[in-house]
Amino acid sequence: MGRYVVRRLLQMIPVFIGATLLIFLMVNVMGDPIAGLCGDRQCDPATAAQLEKEFGLDKPVWQQYLTYMGNVFTGDFGTAFNGQEVTELMASAFPVTIRLTIVAILFEIVIGITLGVITGLRRGRPVDTAVLLVTLVVISVPTFVTGLLLQLLLGVEWDWIDPSVSADATFGELIVPGLVLASVSLAYVTRLTRTSIAENKRSDYVRTAVAKGLPQHRVITRHLLRNSLIPVVTFIGTDIGALMGGAIVTERIFNIHGVGYQLYQGILRQNTQTVVGFVTVLVLVFLVANLLVDLLYAVLDPRIRYA
Amino acid sequence: MRGATHAKWAACAAAVALAATACGGDDDGGGTGGDSGAVLSSSWGDPQNPLEPANTNEVQGGKVLDMIFRGLKRYDPETGEANDMLAEKIDTTDSQNFTITIKDGWTFSNGEKVTAKSFVDAWNYGASLKNNQKNAYFFGYIEGYDKTHPAEGKQTADTLSGLKVVDDRTFTVKLNQKFSSFPETLGYAAFAPLPQSFFDDHDAWLSKPVGNGPYTIDSYAKGSQMSLRAWDGYPGEDKAQNGGVDLKVYTDNNTAYTDLLAGNLDLVDDVPAAQLQNVQADLGDRYLNTPAGIIQTIAFPFYDDNWNKPGMEKVRTGLSRAINREQITETIFQKTRTPATDWTSPVLGEEGGFKEGLCGDACEYDAEEARRLIEEGGGLPGGQVKITTNTDTGSHKEWVDAVCNSINNALDNERACVANPVGTFADFRSQITDLKMSGPFRAGWQMDYPLIQNFLQPLYYTNASSNDGKWSNKEFDDLVDQANAETDTAKAVATFQQAEEVVRDNMAAIPLWYQNGSAGYSERLSDVKLNPFSVPVYNEIKVG
């Protein structure tokens, strides 16, 4: 187990370096970021040259990358164009997005798995058909439509919530945005769980458990659910990274100043430091989440061993 | 049984959601109830650059500077006229040497006195190359600028030789050329005075700027909100009529507009294009649509021989005549733009140099004439024009498509004009800076100060800072020099208009339309208006 974790951690290094290098090159290909800084007029050449030097943009790209990576290992992610340290931007953006992701994941787990279990156990019944239909609708409607619609209905028409999230972005305010963000994944979790449950319901160990006379809730939670959750856990695990990086649409609609917003600003302003910094952290989140998912397998199914 | 527990759970979640959001509701407003103490909230965008007077070149940062700083002059929110603010008098006999006396009794909000030194230090800071100030070129007229801000190489001086402090309230400015309207430029934010604390602890100042305007910054959470409060000790006449302003950063102006409708926000100063159709029904007379000093044009790459050879002025004029401005401003912009008939802006007023119809026939839609002119001029280079624009801001792609459509219809050729979209503004700008434009491209100009000079010189003078098309014309340059040297304002304006006629005869750029500022506000507010820069006049807004 320990050796497995170490091996996995070592594997992360090349993935990490490759991903950051790719992002670095991609942002650099987009052209001269200084040009956009002076608004609809040309920066005077002297100031532009000075700014380039300050941000290290006058050096060849490979050298920029090496300096950048060197700094990253000392915890220095550089400076954004508005004079803020990128670490400062991260400190303000990540907690918000993490809260939003937690809300979304909770929705996925609680509602998604519950609905999945119910429909899986009652396949073909009206409940099952209804939920299948609803999830189909949720999957096919784009997030921004759901988001804008909920915002307009709950926020403006019925006045149940504030249409925008304040700077504090508390858990309470994030419930509706979290639901919107989770909606599509939630539908997938429901369907995945449903299929998995339906499949395992007829397996030998479930039949044995029932024959032993175990109460039904015990059969479901200890035997059926545990084994059926493996594909679901895989999905939710990879979804953590996807939700954090992909929250941009939801964050825009509900005015959440999280990772998506900062990334969007960074790309618009071609701010290499911001984009690469945030993506670097997101890559790490992805890698760690994947590792955790793999380790969870053993908990769910003791037959799985790591070496 | 199990179903029931689930239902209960869902009900609980909903209740929690409601309760929590209700708690997390807005807590601004001060709650004092009185009008002058109440705080209003307004939409804001994250400023692109650090908030320093000489480093702020976009509207969002400029908004704040306008609230926390007062300079020598201030542009009248209604007429745009430059009136004395801190300046007691600005004397000159030759339009080149100025003696500036500032009024007594002004202080910064930290108690420091505003003296002649506050101005001289601030200007020296702004002009010095090592401080990377993006508005440094504003000090380019002052003698010694080439030493503190050389175009190449190291700077040889830290201070401008043209600036001298005489005493506490007087300083002199020597320009490197005659520039009669120099005093009128001094209302621009870059010329604001700075307190000593700016130089002593720069980082601390940046995290919470201190100025001498009607508002002070109470708190500033970068990227999310800035709270400004009325400064009781403000010595000026234009005291804040409200208790303060909370500027809230919005990720999207659509969300800001929704918040306004839901009653969570008091003022939106940028109504999203998508909402223009509903805005009258939503807000009625709480919607403002007033002219601003912004003109949209199409510029040409004069560095490309195809666009600079003899006869091309006819092609350019022909293109101008192929654009149906009336129709586009009505259908796409819902009349928030006015078809342009000159190269300045109506906010200048007739005395300031705006001349309706100066463009004449050349800006009028006439498909037949357009075809004839383009043919006479030798046709479109390569048989097609590509209009380049960025697509990430300001619904530019939509109107460029409409312009192309209009040209195609007029020329009766489906392929005469196509849009050439560029993803980001930064990329668009870097292509322009690298002289990579192969055809016409969108150009917009938002004035720095309400002067006809500002609409012509930076854009069309040889090698000027915003002459992106690299147009060069000796006659135009001479007329501008002449106008700048003219001490009589009326004569100067007339000479500038002559220069503008040169722009017209060569069609150096196609004027499209003047842009309005738009704003919407809640029922709590009154006396809301936009100044000629399309920024709300915050200090005059009354709450309650």
Side-chain angles (χ1 to χ4, degrees):
Chain A
M1 176 86 169
R3 273 179 58 198
Y4 175 77
V5 174
V6 171
R7 213 175 60 216
R8 282 292 302 268
L9 286 175
L10 286 177
Q11 277 172 2
M12 283 185 188
I13 295 171
V15 177
F16 180 71
I17 292 175
T20 45
L21 180 65
L22 255 175
I23 295 294
F24 206 87
L25 290 176
M26 270 153 65
V27 179
N28 265 280
V29 166
M30 285 165 74
D32 177 16
I34 301 295
L37 274 188
C38 292
D40 259 326
R41 72 175 86 220
Q42 199 169 336
C43 288
D44 75 286
T47 311
Q50 182 89 359
L51 285 170
E52 272 183 11
K53 220 165 102 190
E54 192 182 306
F55 293 112
L57 295 166
D58 53 339
K59 304 212 180 68
V61 178
W62 63 268
Q63 212 172 326
Q64 284 181 41
Y65 179 69
L66 287 185
T67 341
Y68 182 80
M69 286 313 273
N71 287 339
V72 164
F73 282 111
T74 62
D76 174 12
F77 282 86
T79 314
F81 288 148
N82 66 358
Q84 264 181 297
E85 298 272 323
V86 174
T87 43
E88 212 180 295
L89 292 179
M90 288 178 183
S92 70
F94 270 101
V96 175
T97 300
I98 288 173
R99 276 201 292 275
L100 182 64
T101 312
I102 291 176
V103 174
I105 295 281
L106 279 180
F107 270 119
E108 281 179 29
I109 293 176
V110 176
I111 302 186
I113 295 183
T114 314
L115 284 179
V117 172
I118 296 173
T119 50
L121 291 175
R122 299 170 193 197
R123 225 155 52 124
R125 304 265 194 84
V127 195
D128 182 36
T129 324
V131 170
L132 271 184
L133 255 171
V134 172
T135 51
L136 187 69
V137 171
V138 170
I139 290 170
S140 51
V141 175
T143 323
F144 72 90
V145 177
T146 337
L148 285 173
L149 217 66
L150 278 182
Q151 184 186 43
L152 209 66
L153 285 179
L154 301 179
V156 183
E157 296 294 327
W158 301 336
D159 208 16
W160 285 9
I161 58 162
D162 285 349
S164 72
V165 171
S166 75
D168 307 329
T170 54
F171 274 111
E173 290 176 283
L174 291 174
I175 289 179
V176 175
L179 183 60
V180 170
L181 179 61
S183 57
V184 173
S185 302
L186 198 155
Y188 280 120
V189 169
T190 306
R191 292 182 153 222
L192 262 178
T193 316
R194 172 183 174 271
T195 320
S196 198
I197 291 269
E199 208 174 271
N200 288 335
K201 206 171 77 169
R202 283 188 297 265
S203 60
D204 295 341
Y205 61 85
V206 173
R207 209 174 325 140
T208 312
V210 175
K212 276 199 297 188
L214 288 179
Q216 198 191 9
H217 72 265
R218 203 168 160 77
V219 175
I220 292 170
T221 51
R222 299 292 292 180
H223 297 265
L224 181 54
L225 199 54
R226 229 172 107 166
N227 281 282
S228 310
L229 275 185
I230 288 186
V232 182
V233 165
T234 315
F235 179 81
I236 293 179
T238 46
D239 210 35
I240 292 176
L243 287 180
M244 289 188 77
I248 178 157
V249 176
T250 319
E251 292 194 355
R252 258 188 89 109
I253 293 174
F254 292 98
N255 194 37
I256 300 167
H257 301 266
V259 172
Y261 168 67
Q262 293 294 350
L263 264 177
Y264 178 72
Q265 291 278 334
I267 290 169
L268 275 193
R269 293 174 184 176
Q270 278 191 22
N271 202 328
T272 323
Q273 315 273 344
T274 319
V275 178
V276 180
F278 274 84
V279 172
T280 305
V281 176
L282 284 179
V283 169
L284 282 178
V285 171
F286 250 109
L287 292 174
V288 172
N290 264 322
L291 178 61
L292 287 181
V293 166
D294 285 354
L295 295 179
L296 257 182
Y297 287 168
V299 180
L300 290 171
D301 188 347
R303 286 172 297 182
I304 297 174
R305 292 262 180 278
Y306 300 110
Chain B
M1 189 62 204
R2 207 173 301 113
T5 41
H6 286 306
K8 220 157 82 191
W9 191 91
C12 280
V16 168
L18 289 177
T21 41
C23 308
D26 62 330
D27 52 357
D28 44 59
T32 49
D35 17 293
S36 66
V39 175
L40 66 121
S41 55
S42 175
S43 68
W44 195 34
D46 201 11
Q48 187 173 15
N49 302 310
L51 273 178
E52 303 167 274
N55 208 11
T56 298
N57 56 3
E58 36 75 57
V59 184
Q60 304 304 338
K63 225 184 255 182
V64 176
L65 294 183
D66 189 48
M67 295 165 85
I68 63 166
F69 276 108
R70 285 293 178 264
L72 291 166
K73 294 261 185 185
R74 175 165 170 76
Y75 302 115
D76 188 294
E78 217 140 318
T79 61
E81 199 186 338
N83 298 322
D84 284 344
M85 194 75 211
L86 264 72
E88 192 168 281
K89 54 181 195 281
I90 300 176
D91 291 328
T92 181
T93 47
D94 58 357
S95 293
Q96 190 164 5
N97 289 286
F98 295 84
T99 306
I100 299 172
T101 314
I102 58 172
K103 283 179 191 157
D104 205 10
W106 280 80
T107 57
F108 292 100
S109 59
N110 62 2
E112 236 180 85
K113 262 192 92 158
V114 182
T115 62
K117 192 168 170 292
S118 317
F119 283 97
V120 172
D121 286 351
W123 296 6
N124 279 329
Y125 182 88
S128 178
L129 178 56
K130 66 172 179 233
N131 297 324
N132 289 342
Q133 302 288 293
K134 284 165 202 96
N135 287 339
Y137 59 90
F138 273 95
F139 307 99
Y141 289 106
I142 301 172
E143 197 178 70
Y145 180 75
D146 51 339
K147 299 251 167 44
T148 63
H149 200 112
E152 268 167 38
K154 280 222 171 339
Q155 65 187 94
T156 51
D158 282 345
T159 52
L160 294 160
S161 57
L163 292 179
K164 294 233 159 51
V165 176
V166 178
D167 59 42
D168 246 17
R169 284 172 50 203
T170 321
F171 67 106
T172 58
V173 184
K174 185 171 188 216
L175 304 184
N176 49 27
Q177 65 178 77
K178 284 178 189 291
F179 183 19
S180 59
S181 42
F182 176 69
E184 275 76 55
T185 67
L186 296 177
Y188 190 72
F191 293 104
L194 285 170
Q196 190 56 40
S197 62
F198 176 88
F199 304 98
D200 292 344
D201 190 346
H202 191 226
D203 286 341
W205 192 92
L206 278 186
S207 61
K208 202 175 163 184
V210 170
N212 64 330
Y215 291 94
T216 58
I217 294 172
D218 193 44
S219 67
Y220 179 20
K222 277 185 184 163
S224 56
Q225 178 163 334
M226 180 185 268
S227 298
L228 295 118
R229 292 294 172 265
W231 174 32
D232 292 335
Y234 178 66
E237 306 240 299
D238 52 340
K239 271 189 194 300
Q241 301 296 308
N242 47 56
V245 180
D246 283 338
L247 296 175
K248 293 182 175 175
V249 174
Y250 276 89
T251 49
D252 189 342
N253 58 0
N254 278 298
T255 313
Y257 187 77
T258 313
D259 249 0
L260 174 70
L261 293 187
N264 286 322
L265 188 72
D266 292 319
L267 176 62
V268 170
D269 64 352
D270 175 22
V271 176
Q275 303 288 357
L276 287 174
Q277 277 181 320
N278 321 326
V279 72
Q280 283 291 358
D282 288 343
L283 298 173
D285 55 2
R286 287 179 287 117
Y287 164 61
L288 293 178
N289 179 21
T290 51
I294 307 172
I295 184 169
Q296 189 81 55
T297 62
I298 291 180
F300 296 95
F302 288 96
Y303 43 81
D304 181 340
D305 283 342
N306 276 328
W307 285 100
N308 204 13
K309 61 188 180 207
M312 282 312 282
E313 72 278 356
K314 282 196 175 153
V315 176
R316 295 195 292 269
T317 312
L319 283 174
S320 169
R321 303 209 66 175
I323 300 169
N324 193 339
R325 295 170 177 76
E326 293 283 344
Q327 198 186 40
I328 296 173
T329 49
E330 208 158 298
T331 51
I332 293 191
F333 293 118
Q334 314 282 336
K335 296 194 175 163
T336 55
R337 310 280 192 278
T338 313
T341 57
D342 82 339
W343 281 260
T344 67
S345 159
V347 297
L348 294 181
E350 256 174 63
E351 267 175 50
F354 168 66
K355 193 167 178 185
E356 198 177 346
L358 184 131
C359 184
D361 289 349
C363 290
E364 260 157 46
Y365 178 71
D366 186 335
E368 215 166 289
E369 270 297 287
R371 274 199 297 273
R372 189 183 65 80
L373 279 164
I374 289 174
E375 207 167 299
E376 265 183 35
L380 301 172
Q384 190 179 47
V385 281
K386 278 190 178 150
I387 304 180
T388 308
T389 176
N390 60 314
T391 52
D392 55 341
T393 55
S395 51
H396 293 305
K397 176 74 165 58
E398 281 93 340
W399 69 252
V400 168
D401 281 338
V403 163
C404 268
N405 203 14
S406 177
I407 291 174
N408 290 344
N409 284 341
L411 303 187
D412 203 13
N413 174 359
E414 273 304 301
R415 298 192 61 256
C417 177
V418 289
N420 176 28
V422 176
T424 64
F425 179 69
D427 194 14
F428 176 64
R429 284 304 310 173
S430 72
Q431 287 191 26
I432 290 175
T433 319
D434 297 343
L435 307 185
K436 277 194 188 144
M437 289 294 151
S438 58
F441 53 96
R442 86 157 183 93
W445 182 249
Q446 168 145 31
M447 65 177 185
D448 302 312
Y449 29 79
L451 285 178
I452 183 172
Q453 180 264 354
N454 191 241
F455 278 93
L456 297 177
Q457 193 168 357
L459 291 159
Y460 308 110
Y461 197 84
T462 303
N463 284 327
S465 60
S466 289
N467 188 347
D468 289 334
K470 301 285 163 205
W471 188 64
S472 176
N473 182 298
K474 187 149 188 321
E475 195 188 349
F476 176 84
D477 292 358
D478 288 345
L479 282 166
V480 167
D481 288 341
Q482 216 177 307
N484 276 330
E486 184 60 65
T487 45
D488 183 285
T489 318
K491 274 191 205 153
V493 166
T495 318
F496 272 122
Q497 281 172 340
Q498 274 180 329
E500 197 181 338
E501 282 164 17
V502 178
V503 172
R504 172 193 64 196
D505 296 338
N506 290 280
M507 198 48 85
I510 299 177
L512 293 173
W513 37 75
Y514 313 117
Q515 188 166 327
N516 287 1
S518 64
Y521 55 95
S522 71
E523 280 162 6
R524 293 176 68 208
L525 305 188
S526 55
D527 287 308
V528 182
K529 59 177 173 238
L530 295 170
N531 69 13
F533 304 91
S534 77
V535 171
V537 188
Y538 286 104
N539 57 294
E540 292 184 11
I541 297 174
K542 293 200 176 85
V543 186

